[in-house]
């Protein structure tokens, strides 16, 4: 294959990988602290992306001009909106289900996801149609032969890496992160240490949801388009990535995100007929991986979480 | 009044059945009060009730004059209670230092550092192993982590649930001397133990639980002479050393 084209594939794979990793980390955090799979996660991502879009309409109506300022404001709106949404979901839907069979929580979050998705479609103006996502990053590109490196892609990727590094520092270095890891290992003993379990759970859900929102915004900026069901596939991919990595393990989730993106990229290269087949290829490969390593690539030792 | 615990007419249990039936007892400040009783008699449930993990159905638990009813566990810990739980319950995938830091979770970094230095003074072995994952340590070392973690809270009242379970006799002996040192620091101790002789040797006062009821109580000397205790623990006619 042509070097330039190969570079393009790698760059695209890295972009997708960082977005998937951000979604997967949320799944892994929720599973860590509460042993649950939250199927509405992808749709929270959608809500985040549309919150950013609504905020964009708002700030441009107010006459804000600077693209950096606009970007900051809409990203903050998406983060704040979904963080609150995530904490509310945890407080009023998931915490009360503690002790219920896991399958009930799964069903509940599946229905919640559908409700969120359909709400975006119904209540966002003209929500059934794909929406243009504004280009706020500087245009321009560097050309290396047939390989075009868009500056905005580089910025999105660097921002994603910074967020992921920031989250892993928070989890591994801060006192709050220590509490999250303690809750993930043994919630009851964590309470005996004086940790406010509910506060830690709400924070974790706010954090995971904000990550999803950022992933949604990054996805929108990369493709310049969002739509009401974008969270369906991104959620499924994030979930798969978390599973491949070994659910409950943050580094596993990050690795899983990049691995899934790599599989899609390989699929796109091997099956040039239609890019739709790349997902089929990637999911088929995930199924094979799961058959080979049922507990994920980084196997969970009985007590290993987060 | 510092560190006085009074359990008054407590009923508590799981699901629909009561495990504790009308339990009343007092842990006097600065003393070691022990709870004796065979397996399944409700000793750990009593500890859980005090910690708010299994909140009492009725009755009162009063600490330093404050009723703990309706408080969440982290608020009860804030009041000055800490626990060395049954089975040690160390966080095996966290390091020794992280386990200890969690013991002083509600304290700031500076205070936690000072207390950690003191715990390392008591258990020099933990200082050597500060960065090691706790799950990779021996049972005796994990017991040190669990005890050290309980001390990190600098509690007024320390609840200790069967610290010598599954330990070698040497460690058991060391455990008892550590518990006595804890009491000498002025901390009120409520001690659950199966090891009756050694427990009564260090305790001031004790209660005997049987099927969730207090069936006997008295000073350590009285309990040694008590028929129920002797039958339950020492067999016929054997006097404790
Ligand atoms: N989590 C639980 N759920 C239901 N029953 C329990 C639970 N823990 C203990 N029990 C029951 O409560 C009774 C007292 O147990 P426990 O307080 O652990 O006794 P002890 O500590 O004295 O051995 C036992 O019959 C036990 O089966
Ligand atoms: Mg017990």
């Amino acid at each position: 294959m042509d070097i330039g084209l190969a570079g393009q594939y790698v760059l695209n794979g890295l972009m997708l990988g960082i977005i998937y990793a951000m979604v997967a980390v949320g799944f892994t955090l929720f599973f860590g602290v509460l042993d649950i799979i939250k199927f509405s996660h992808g749709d929270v991502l959608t809500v985040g992306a549309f919150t950013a879009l609504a905020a964009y309409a708002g700030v441009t109506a107010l006459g804000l001009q600077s693209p950096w300022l606009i970007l900051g404001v809409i990203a903050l709106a998406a983060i704040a909106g979904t963080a609150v949404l995530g904490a509310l979901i945890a407080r009023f839907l998931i915490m009360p289900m503690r002790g219920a069979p896991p399958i009930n929580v799964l069903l509940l979050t599946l229905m919640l996801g559908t409700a969120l998705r359909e709400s975006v479609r119904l209540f966002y103006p003209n929500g059934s149609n794909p929406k243009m996502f504004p280009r706020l990053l500087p245009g321009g590109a560097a050309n290396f032969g047939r390989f075009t490196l868009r500056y905005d892609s580089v910025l999105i990727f660097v921002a994603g890496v910074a967020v992921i590094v920031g989250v892993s520092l928070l989890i591994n270095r801060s006192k709050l992160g220590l509490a999250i890891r303690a809750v993930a290992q043994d919630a009851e003993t964590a309470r005996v240490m004086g940790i406010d379990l509910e506060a830690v759970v709400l924070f974790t859900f706010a954090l995971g949801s904000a990550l999803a929102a950022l992933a949604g915004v990054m996805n929108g900026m990369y493709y310049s388009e969002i739509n009401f069901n974008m969270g369906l596939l991104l959620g499924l991919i994030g979930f798969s990535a978390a599973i491949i990595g070994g659910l409950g393990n943050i580094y596993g989730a990050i690795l899983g995100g990049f691995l899934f993106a790599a599989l899609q990229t390989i699929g796109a290269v091997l099956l040039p007929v239609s890019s739709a087949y790349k997902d089929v290829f990637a999911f088929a490969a995930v199924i094979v991986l799961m058959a080979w390593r049922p507990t994920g690539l980084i196997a969970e030792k009985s007590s290993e979480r987060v | 009044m510092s560190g006085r615990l009074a359990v008054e007419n407590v009923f508590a249990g799981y699901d629909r059945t009561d495990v504790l039936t009308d339990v009343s007892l007092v842990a006097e400040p600065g003393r070691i009060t022990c709870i004796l009783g065979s397996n399944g008699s409700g000793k750990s449930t009593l500890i859980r009730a005090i910690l708010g993990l299994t909140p009492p159905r009725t009755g009162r638990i009063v600490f330093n004059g404050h009723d703990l009813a309706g408080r969440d566990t982290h608020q009860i810990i804030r009041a000055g209670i800490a626990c060395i739980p049954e089975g040690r319950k160390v966080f095996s995938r966290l390091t020794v230092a992280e386990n200890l830091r969690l013991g002083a979770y509600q304290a700031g970094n500076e205070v936690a550092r000072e207390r950690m230095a003191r715990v390392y003074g008591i258990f020099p072995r933990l200082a050597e192993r500060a960065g090691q994952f706790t799950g990779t340590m021996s049972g005796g070392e994990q017991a040190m982590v669990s005890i050290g973690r309980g001390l990190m809270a600098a509690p007024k009242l320390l609840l200790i649930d069967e610290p010598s379970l599954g330990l070698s006799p040497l460690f058991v002996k060391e455990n008892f001397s550590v518990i006595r040192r804890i009491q000498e620091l002025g901390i009120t101790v409520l001690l659950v133990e199966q090891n009756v002789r050694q427990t009564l040797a260090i305790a001031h006062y004790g209660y005997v639980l049987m099927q969730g009821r207090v069936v006997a109580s008295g000073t350590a000397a009285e309990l040694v002479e008590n028929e129920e205790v002797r039958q339950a623990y020492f067999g016929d006619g054997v006097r404790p050393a």
Side-chain angles (χ1 to χ4, degrees), chain B residues 39-40 42-45 86 161-162 165 192 194:
Chain B
N39 260 334
K43 305 181 297 296
S44 296
T45 305
E86 183 174 27
D161 195 350
E162 302 212 29
L165 201 70
V192 169
Q194 293 276 2

Side-chain angles (χ1 to χ4, degrees), chain B residues 35-41 43 86 161-165 176 191-199 232-234:
Chain B
I35 311 287
L36 305 174
S38 54
N39 260 334
S41 58
K43 305 181 297 296
E86 183 174 27
D161 195 350
E162 302 212 29
S164 31
L165 201 70
F176 276 100
L191 174 64
V192 169
E193 252 300 343
Q194 293 276 2
N195 240 306
V196 179
R197 287 160 208 250
Q198 291 174 79
T199 303
Y233 293 103
F234 300 121

Side-chain angles (χ1 to χ4, degrees), chain B residues 6-234:
Chain B
V7 174
E8 300 171 2
N9 309 108
V10 160
F11 291 71
Y14 310 90
D15 302 325
R16 237 154 262 134
T17 52
D18 277 334
V19 171
L20 301 179
T21 322
D22 199 20
V23 169
S24 297
L25 56 86
V26 173
E28 292 293 349
R31 297 297 181 91
I32 298 177
T33 304
C34 68
I35 311 287
L36 305 174
S38 54
N39 260 334
S41 58
K43 305 181 297 296
S44 296
T45 305
L46 174 64
I47 301 277
R48 295 175 57 87
I50 296 167
L51 288 170
L53 295 172
T54 306
R57 219 184 304 284
T58 61
R60 299 204 319 154
I61 295 177
V62 182
F63 181 61
N64 276 345
H66 300 288
D67 192 342
L68 299 183
R71 293 201 204 182
D72 195 69
T73 303
H74 69 277
Q75 296 164 319
I76 292 173
I77 301 300
R78 180 165 299 136
I81 299 180
C83 176
I84 298 169
E86 183 174 27
R88 302 188 267 281
K89 299 284 171 65
V90 293
F91 297 100
S92 56
R93 286 282 303 163
L94 300 183
T95 64
V96 170
E98 285 172 332
N99 268 276
L100 295 180
R101 182 65 187 87
L102 283 166
Y105 185 74
Q106 293 178 347
N109 284 332
E110 199 52 48
V111 175
R113 241 193 307 278
E114 285 165 22
R115 290 183 192 162
M116 209 177 289
R118 230 175 304 155
V119 168
Y120 287 149
I122 301 173
F123 300 113
R125 186 138 189 83
L126 296 188
E128 292 163 26
R129 302 293 183 89
Q132 188 173 335
F133 284 121
T134 314
T136 63
M137 303 172 86
S138 74
E141 289 167 333
Q142 292 190 14
M144 290 180 201
V145 174
S146 186
I147 294 170
R149 196 178 62 178
L151 291 175
M152 285 294 292
K156 300 191 190 85
L157 168 68
L158 188 55
L159 313 171
I160 309 180
D161 195 350
E162 302 212 29
S164 31
L165 201 70
L167 292 185
S168 69
L170 197 69
F171 269 118
V172 173
K173 203 165 158 230
E174 191 172 318
N175 262 346
F176 276 100
S177 74
V178 168
I179 292 167
R180 206 204 279 275
R181 277 163 73 190
I182 291 170
Q183 180 251 326
E184 284 162 8
L185 293 171
I187 298 172
T188 308
V189 174
L190 187 64
L191 174 64
V192 169
E193 252 300 343
Q194 293 276 2
N195 240 306
V196 179
R197 287 160 208 250
Q198 291 174 79
T199 303
L200 288 179
I202 64 165
H204 301 94
Y205 203 86
Y207 295 84
V208 180
L209 274 186
M210 198 179 276
Q211 293 179 2
R213 293 174 187 276
V214 175
V215 294
S217 64
T219 62
E222 286 166 357
L223 286 179
V224 168
E225 300 294 332
N226 183 289
E227 268 314 308
E228 308 261 12
V229 180
R230 284 172 59 186
Q231 273 179 14
Y233 293 103
F234 300 121

Side-chain angles (χ1 to χ4, degrees), chain A residues 5-40:
Chain A
L5 194 58
Q8 215 71 62
Y9 273 120
V10 169
L11 181 70
N12 189 52
L14 287 174
M15 286 301 302
L16 294 177
I18 197 79
I19 290 172
Y20 299 162
M22 289 168 73
V23 182
V25 165
F27 275 105
T28 247
L29 282 174
F30 304 149
F31 182 77
V33 294
L34 275 188
D35 284 322
I36 57 143
I37 304 299
K38 183 172 165 253
F39 266 117
S40 50

Side-chain angles (χ1 to χ4, degrees), chain A residues 111-185:
Chain A
M111 295 189 296
L112 174 68
T114 307
L116 289 174
R117 189 163 60 244
E118 290 304 317
S119 299
V120 167
R121 178 155 79 143
L122 290 173
F123 298 122
Y124 200 89
N126 201 8
S128 309
N129 295 325
K131 299 277 167 196
M132 257 271 285
F133 201 86
R135 282 185 186 279
L136 293 166
L137 292 170
N143 287 300
F144 305 96
R146 286 182 55 194
F147 174 42
T148 313
L149 185 62
R150 273 169 49 187
Y151 296 142
D152 58 353
S153 303
V154 176
L155 285 172
I156 295 171
F157 183 73
V158 169
V161 170
V163 167
I164 288 281
V165 169
V167 169
S168 58
L169 284 178
L170 172 76
I171 299 290
N172 289 312
R173 296 286 166 81
S174 74
K175 189 172 151 188
L176 191 54
L178 181 60
I180 291 174
R181 286 181 291 145
V183 167
Q185 274 192 40

Side-chain angles (χ1 to χ4, degrees), chain A:
Chain A
M1 194 195 317
D2 176 81
I3 283 281
L5 194 58
Q8 215 71 62
Y9 273 120
V10 169
L11 181 70
N12 189 52
L14 287 174
M15 286 301 302
L16 294 177
I18 197 79
I19 290 172
Y20 299 162
M22 289 168 73
V23 182
V25 165
F27 275 105
T28 247
L29 282 174
F30 304 149
F31 182 77
V33 294
L34 275 188
D35 284 322
I36 57 143
I37 304 299
K38 183 172 165 253
F39 266 117
S40 50
H41 193 46
D43 300 297
V44 168
L45 178 154
T46 307
V47 170
F50 276 85
T51 304
L53 195 59
Y56 177 75
V59 292
T60 46
L62 288 175
L64 212 57
Q65 296 289 327
S66 154
W68 288 110
L69 197 56
I70 294 176
L71 182 59
V73 170
I74 69 171
L76 272 182
I79 289 172
T82 50
V84 170
L85 176 65
L88 288 175
I89 291 171
R91 173 67 185 78
F92 293 105
L93 291 174
I94 295 177
M95 288 291 271
M97 299 282 284
R98 269 162 66 82
I103 198 90
N104 294 16
V105 181
L106 210 133
L107 181 64
L108 181 96
T109 59
L110 256 176
M111 295 189 296
L112 174 68
T114 307
L116 289 174
R117 189 163 60 244
E118 290 304 317
S119 299
V120 167
R121 178 155 79 143
L122 290 173
F123 298 122
Y124 200 89
N126 201 8
S128 309
N129 295 325
K131 299 277 167 196
M132 257 271 285
F133 201 86
R135 282 185 186 279
L136 293 166
L137 292 170
N143 287 300
F144 305 96
R146 286 182 55 194
F147 174 42
T148 313
L149 185 62
R150 273 169 49 187
Y151 296 142
D152 58 353
S153 303
V154 176
L155 285 172
I156 295 171
F157 183 73
V158 169
V161 170
V163 167
I164 288 281
V165 169
V167 169
S168 58
L169 284 178
L170 172 76
I171 299 290
N172 289 312
R173 296 286 166 81
S174 74
K175 189 172 151 188
L176 191 54
L178 181 60
I180 291 174
R181 286 181 291 145
V183 167
Q185 274 192 40
D186 181 347
E188 190 168 282
T189 305
R191 292 176 69 194
V192 174
M193 298 298 107
I195 291 169
D196 182 346
L197 177 66
E198 179 168 323
V200 168
V201 168
L202 297 197
F203 175 80
T204 308
F205 275 70
L207 175 68
S209 304
L211 273 178
L214 278 177
V217 170
M218 284 165 55
N219 194 68
M221 295 209 293
Y222 189 53
Y223 291 112
S224 301
E225 185 184 292
I226 60 175
N227 64 68
F228 76 95
N229 63 10
M230 67 192 288
L232 215 50
L233 187 62
L234 278 170
L236 187 59
I237 290 174
F239 181 35
S240 308
I243 294 270
I244 315 174
L247 203 52
N249 183 313
I250 286 207
Y251 297 114
I254 297 167
L255 178 77
F258 282 101
L259 192 66
F260 194 94
L263 289 171
Q264 275 183 323
T265 307
I266 293 168
V269 173
L270 294 184
L271 311 162
V273 248
S274 152
S275 69
Y277 285 108
K278 73 182 195 296
D279 293 338
V280 176
F281 175 83
F283 281 117
V286 168
I287 291 168
V288 172
L289 267 177
M290 282 169 63
W292 173 51
R293 282 283 176 90
T295 53
L297 292 181
I298 301 180
E300 186 185 341
K301 293 167 201 83
S302 57
S303 60
E304 178 179 0
R305 290 287 165 76
V306 181

